[in-house]
Amino acid sequence: MGTLRDLQYALQEKIEELRQRDALIDELELELDQKDELIQKLQNELDKYRSVIRPATQQVHKQSVLQEQQRTKRQAISAEPTAFDIQDLNHVTLPFYPKSPQSKELIKEAILDNDFMKNLELSQIQEIVDCMYPVEYDKDSCIIKEGDVGSLVYVMEDGKVEVTKEGMKLCTMGPGKVFGELAILYNCTRTATVQTLTNVKLWAIDRQCFQTIMMRTGLIKHAEYMDFLKSVPTFQGLPEEILSKLADVLEEVILYNNKCRLHILLNIDWAVIH
C-alpha cells in the first residue's frame, strides 16, 4: 500500500492530466469556432455566387408558368430588356474588342482575384474579357460617385485611383483590380466614390452585356440539366414543371481522384421542390 506522499503525488498527476485535457478541449473548441467562421464565410461566398447565376435559371421556370397563365403576354427574364430563350440568346451578338495577350491575362487575373466574381466559370470569364472595351480618364477625374446609379464595372490596367466612402478614404487601387462590380451584380447604387490620382487606363463592361453572358450560360445549363433529368429512369414521366424545378436546384458536384476530374450532378434540394 502506498504512503500518503505517494497518494498525493498520484493525485497531483491526475490533476495535471485533467488540466492538460481541459487545455486541449479549449484548443479544440477554439479550432472548431474558427472552422465554423470559415464555413460561414464560404457559405456567404456561395450565396453571392448563386445570386448571380441562379436568377437566370429560376426565371426560366417563372417564364413558363406565366406563359401558361397568359400566353399573349411576353415576360422578360429580368427587369431589363433582354432575350427570352436559348435560341434568342444564341443569336445575340456580343461586342468584341481586341486586346493584347497581356491585357487579356490582366483582366482574367483581376476577375479571379475579386471576391464577388472569382467563382464564375472560365467560359464566362473569357466572354467578359472579350466584351470589355477601353476607357481612359485624366488625373483628378471622378469615375464613380457614391449614391449614383451605376451600370459599368471596371478593371484597372494602368494608373492609380482613390476609393472613399462618406468622405473617408478607404484605399488606393492600382493595375489588376476590379471595381464597380456591385452595380452589375446587384443592380444597386454606387457604394463608394472612385477618383483618379493619375491618368488611368481601364477596361469596362456594362450590366446588360454581363447579364446576357450570365443568362445565356444559365439557360444552356438549365437545358442540359433538363435533358439529363429526362434521361434518368427515376424522373421519367414527371411533369415538365417538376423537372424544371429540379433543374433549378440541381447543383454540379466536382469530385477528384488520382487520375481525372469527375463531374457528377447529384445535389438536389428537395425542400425547395416541395
Side-chain angles (χ1 to χ4, degrees):
M1 182 175 180
T3 64
L4 178 60
R5 183 181 296 276
D6 291 336
L7 292 175
Q8 288 177 336
Y9 181 75
L11 178 61
Q12 189 64 35
E13 282 188 334
K14 289 294 182 182
I15 292 174
E16 178 61 23
E17 182 180 345
L18 290 174
R19 189 193 67 78
Q20 292 177 356
R21 288 183 179 180
D22 288 340
L24 177 60
I25 291 173
D26 290 339
E27 290 179 4
L28 292 175
E29 287 180 343
L30 178 60
E31 183 179 349
L32 183 60
D33 290 340
Q34 292 173 341
K35 288 184 177 180
D36 286 340
E37 291 178 2
L38 177 61
I39 290 172
Q40 185 60 49
K41 181 179 178 181
L42 293 174
Q43 183 62 51
N44 291 339
E45 293 296 328
L46 180 60
D47 290 341
K48 293 173 186 176
Y49 177 58
R50 284 175 173 170
S51 70
V52 179
I53 303 302
R54 279 285 179 85
T57 57
Q58 289 173 346
Q59 288 292 346
V60 174
H61 170 63
K62 292 179 183 178
Q63 176 194 338
S64 63
V65 173
L66 287 171
Q67 287 177 336
E68 287 296 324
Q69 294 174 344
Q70 189 175 7
R71 291 186 176 277
T72 59
K73 185 177 181 180
R74 289 181 60 84
Q75 300 290 332
I77 292 177
S78 70
E80 300 184 30
T82 186
F84 259 85
D85 51 34
I86 299 174
Q87 289 73 24
D88 292 336
L89 286 173
N90 282 339
H91 288 88
V92 174
T93 301
L94 294 172
F96 174 83
Y97 297 90
K99 303 170 182 69
S100 67
Q102 293 79 9
S103 294
K104 290 181 179 180
E105 186 64 22
L106 179 140
I107 297 172
K108 177 183 175 182
E109 292 301 320
I111 292 173
L112 291 174
D113 187 53
N114 183 268
D115 288 338
F116 293 93
M117 302 178 71
K118 63 185 180 183
N119 290 318
L120 296 178
E121 296 183 7
L122 290 178
S123 60
Q124 295 171 327
I125 294 175
Q126 185 58 55
E127 285 193 285
I128 292 171
V129 171
D130 290 341
C131 292
M132 281 194 148
Y133 59 89
V135 181
E136 294 187 8
Y137 283 90
D138 294 331
K139 181 181 178 181
D140 297 326
S141 299
C142 183
I143 304 175
I144 291 176
K145 185 176 180 181
E146 183 179 355
D148 284 354
V149 176
S151 62
L152 297 174
V153 65
Y154 301 93
V155 173
M156 176 88 69
E157 180 169 38
D158 188 32
K160 185 179 292 186
V161 298
E162 180 180 78
V163 183
T164 60
K165 183 176 180 64
E166 298 177 352
M168 300 291 293
K169 179 181 176 180
L170 297 180
C171 64
T172 59
M173 292 190 299
K177 291 296 181 181
V178 175
F179 61 92
E181 69 275 11
L182 295 182
I184 63 170
L185 295 177
Y186 303 111
N187 194 20
C188 62
T189 57
R190 298 297 194 183
T191 58
T193 295
V194 179
Q195 188 93 8
T196 62
L197 297 176
T198 65
N199 295 341
V200 299
K201 295 180 180 179
L202 309 166
W203 294 98
I205 186 172
D206 63 77
R207 183 170 61 248
Q208 183 65 51
C209 184
F210 178 85
Q211 286 188 338
T212 299
I213 294 172
M214 295 300 103
M215 288 177 185
R216 180 153 62 187
T217 304
L219 287 169
I220 290 172
K221 276 193 172 294
H222 186 272
E224 290 176 350
Y225 291 172
M226 288 286 285
D227 291 340
F228 168 75
L229 292 172
K230 290 176 181 178
S231 70
V232 178
T234 304
F235 301 134
Q236 288 177 357
L238 287 178
E240 195 83 5
E241 178 183 350
I242 298 298
L243 289 176
S244 182
K245 286 183 178 181
L246 288 173
D248 285 342
V249 298
L250 199 62
E251 294 181 0
E252 185 171 333
V253 180
I254 303 177
L255 301 179
Y256 292 86
N257 60 21
N258 293 332
K259 295 182 178 180
C260 63
R261 184 173 72 172
L262 305 177
H263 295 260
I264 305 178
L265 302 174
L266 287 176
N267 193 3
I268 298 177
D269 189 348
W270 293 101
V272 175
I273 302 302
H274 299 291

